Every structure is written in C-alpha cells, then in structure tokens.
Amino acid sequence: MTDDTTILLVGHGSRNRDGNNETLSFAAQWRERHPERRIEVCFIEHAEVLLDDGLDRAAKGARRVLVIPFILNAAGHVKMELPAALNRARERHPGVDFGVTRHLGMGREIFAVLQGQLDRLMKQLAMPDPQTTGVILLGRGSSDAGANGELAKMARWIFEANEHELVDLAFTGVTWPRLETVVQRQVRLGMMQVCIVPVYLFTGVLIERIKAQVDRLRQQYPQVAFALGTHFGFDKGIFDLLDAKVDGDELPEGRMLECDGCKYRADAEDEHLHDHGHTATGACGHGHGHDHSHDHRHG
C-alpha cells in the first residue's frame, strides 16, 4: 500500500444515526491499527457523505483509490449502484486508478465470527444440550436470491460444525421466513432454548426492531429460554478480513472455493489441489466426520 493510495470504505448507511456513527468509529479504530494508511468513509444511502462525494474526496491528492464495499452480502447496491458510481468517478478523475475489492461476503472469516457469537450465546444459556437448542441466523433480507443464499450457506456451515438439532435462517424484511415464524416452528419441534444470531455489522433501525421482536417472543413462549446475539462489526475478525483485502490476500472476484466450509481444508491445502468431485461425501469430496447417525433425522 503506497502513500498515494486512499482506501474508501463504502457502508450501506442507516436511518439510525448510531449505525453510521459506528461505521465511522470502526474506520477510526482501523486507522489506529494502520496510521500509515489514508482511510476514508462514505455510504450508499441515509448519510451525509454518499458515493459520488466519497469517491471525489478519496480521489483528492491520490493516484489510486481502493474501494472496499463494507457490506456483508452483494445485492443491488453492490452489483449496480457502486459500479455506476465508479464509472462516473473515473470520468471525473481520469488520472486516478480506481480499484474495488469484493464485499465482505460469507466466507471463512465471517463464519468464524458467527461461530464465536453462537459460542457466547451457549455460555449465556449455561451450555444446554444442543439437541434441544435451536439456532437462528437472522439476516437483513434481500430481493437478490444470491444474497439470501449466502446466508443459507452460513446456516449449513454452522450446522456442520456443531451438534444442534435445528439451524435455521430468518430475515427481518423483504423475503421470508420471518423470525416469529421460525421460532414457532422450532418450539413446535421441541426446542427448549433458542439462540438468535443477527448477521449485522452495526446497530440500526433493524437491530432495535429485532430486540423488540425477541421481547415479544419471550412473553409468548415463557417456557423457552432465548439468547440474542448482537451486531459484530468491531470483531477482530472483521479488521483482519479488511487487512487481507488491502493486502490482496483474498480470492479473485467470482472464484468459488467449495472447501471453504470444510474442516479438512487446512490440512488438504498442503496435500492436494482440491479436485472437487461432487460426491456423496460432500462438495469437496472429503468424507466428513460429523455424524448425526444417532439422530432421527437420518433414520
């Protein structure tokens, strides 16, 4: 990273000012970790500094601008609005090289953050039996099926890495199912505890809405113990993920790694080149040791 490069974090933006302030606070903490870097922030909506203005500020006095979509899932904002704004910025600043990384995505790093959230919630519940403790990953929800599918992938990875009977996903808006519906289903299937893991970077209107929903659910199901996680934008894993993006240590855009969720991946990388056969043993071709054969689901 050279002195004439600006890093531009592009947040989603929230109607709740606290959410935007947390993004700015994150940037301040990231600067403290790397005082040699010039780090700027803008938002796609609901903020004072939006895309065009942010790109102009980042380009001032720079030869290169590295744009990082500080967003978990790529939907219309990342796929359409950001590229259009970048094209306009290139026309306004022909002497500046504008580059863009992938959004944060749902890969190994975010999975580790979510697993850490779940581990803390289980301790909060005094480590109950996972077979009677349901897990719900709760996302923003999108009209983009691919973005919703990324959260579904995380739900499956959480299931594979733990012993919970049920790991489901729910959304706060746009698409289905919603939190209340999934909780109702899990309670009917015998869950005595429910861990709710919000998949959000920072606070905002939806985080406040989630807290109110869980308060109502506690009243509706007094026999069930609920543990609610929180947004995780200040987790060390998020800082590390952004560092990897700046250093170029991430997969090229569009490349998929089938073994990302495989617990044998670290060992296997030293032994072979991942010739992925989609066999009955799993997408990566490895026989996974996680066995639910004691469980009625696999009869």
Side-chain angles (χ1 to χ4, degrees):
M1 181 60 59
T2 60
D3 293 338
D4 55 5
T5 297
T6 302
I7 300 168
L8 180 62
L9 281 181
V10 179
H12 183 281
S14 171
R15 291 184 297 274
N16 183 320
R17 186 176 294 273
D18 290 341
N20 293 344
N21 287 340
E22 285 190 355
T23 302
L24 297 173
S25 178
F26 176 94
Q29 292 184 32
W30 198 27
R31 290 187 195 101
E32 291 179 359
R33 291 165 62 110
H34 301 283
E36 77 283 1
R37 293 177 181 171
R38 179 184 171 192
I39 301 170
E40 301 287 344
V41 181
C42 71
F43 299 89
I44 293 175
E45 59 183 1
H46 306 308
E48 294 180 7
V49 182
L50 299 179
L51 272 174
D52 288 328
D53 191 13
L55 288 163
D56 288 343
R57 294 185 183 195
K60 187 174 182 179
R63 295 184 60 186
R64 181 170 183 259
V65 174
L66 179 64
V67 177
I68 302 180
F70 199 27
I71 294 172
L72 288 170
N73 285 319
H77 289 313
V78 173
K79 295 178 180 178
M80 300 179 66
E81 293 177 44
L82 181 55
L86 279 167
N87 287 337
R88 293 192 298 270
R90 291 184 178 111
E91 293 179 356
R92 294 193 303 272
H93 306 279
V96 178
D97 175 26
F98 288 89
V100 61
T101 73
R102 297 165 67 194
H103 59 289
L104 297 185
M106 292 286 160
R108 297 185 301 275
E109 301 88 354
I110 299 299
F111 166 73
V113 172
L114 296 176
Q115 181 64 56
Q117 286 269 323
L118 176 58
D119 292 343
R120 286 187 286 273
L121 293 180
M122 288 295 286
K123 290 178 181 177
Q124 180 180 323
L125 290 171
M127 300 304 294
D129 184 349
Q131 292 292 299
T132 60
T133 305
V135 178
I136 302 174
L137 297 189
L138 181 58
R140 179 183 296 272
S142 171
S143 57
D144 186 295
N148 298 329
E150 286 293 290
L151 186 61
K153 180 177 72 173
M154 287 295 98
R156 184 64 196 185
W157 286 12
I158 289 290
F159 176 83
E160 294 285 353
N162 298 275
E163 295 290 338
H164 292 274
E165 171 78 13
L166 296 176
V167 178
D168 293 315
L169 70 161
F171 303 95
T172 52
V174 184
T175 191
W176 312 96
R178 301 293 167 81
L179 178 60
E180 293 88 349
T181 302
V182 177
V183 167
Q184 182 184 58
R185 172 178 175 269
Q186 290 198 350
V187 172
R188 285 179 174 176
L189 290 174
M191 297 300 101
M192 299 301 296
Q193 301 81 212
V194 177
C195 294
I196 301 170
V197 182
V199 188
Y200 285 81
L201 287 174
F202 301 113
T203 192
V205 173
L206 296 180
I207 291 293
E208 296 305 314
R209 185 181 301 168
I210 291 166
K211 292 177 181 177
Q213 288 175 323
V214 174
D215 285 343
R216 290 196 298 271
L217 288 167
R218 288 188 172 112
Q219 296 177 15
Q220 185 175 355
Y221 301 101
Q223 79 279 16
V224 176
F226 290 91
L228 174 62
T230 186
H231 49 285
F232 50 75
F234 292 100
D235 190 284
K236 179 181 179 296
I238 303 300
F239 288 99
D240 292 343
L241 176 55
L242 290 189
D243 286 341
K245 290 180 178 297
V246 172
D247 295 336
D249 297 333
E250 65 168 349
L251 291 173
E253 179 66 43
R255 179 178 168 192
M256 295 180 65
L257 208 59
E258 293 290 346
C259 285
D260 263 357
C262 175
K263 55 189 167 185
Y264 301 106
R265 182 175 189 275
D267 295 335
E269 281 182 331
D270 295 330
E271 298 174 5
H272 67 88
L273 297 177
H274 286 274
D275 182 14
H276 297 120
H278 291 262
T279 67
T281 56
C284 62
H286 301 125
H288 289 210
H290 184 61
D291 183 8
H292 286 276
S293 58
H294 63 280
D295 189 347
H296 66 78
R297 285 171 318 201
H298 299 290

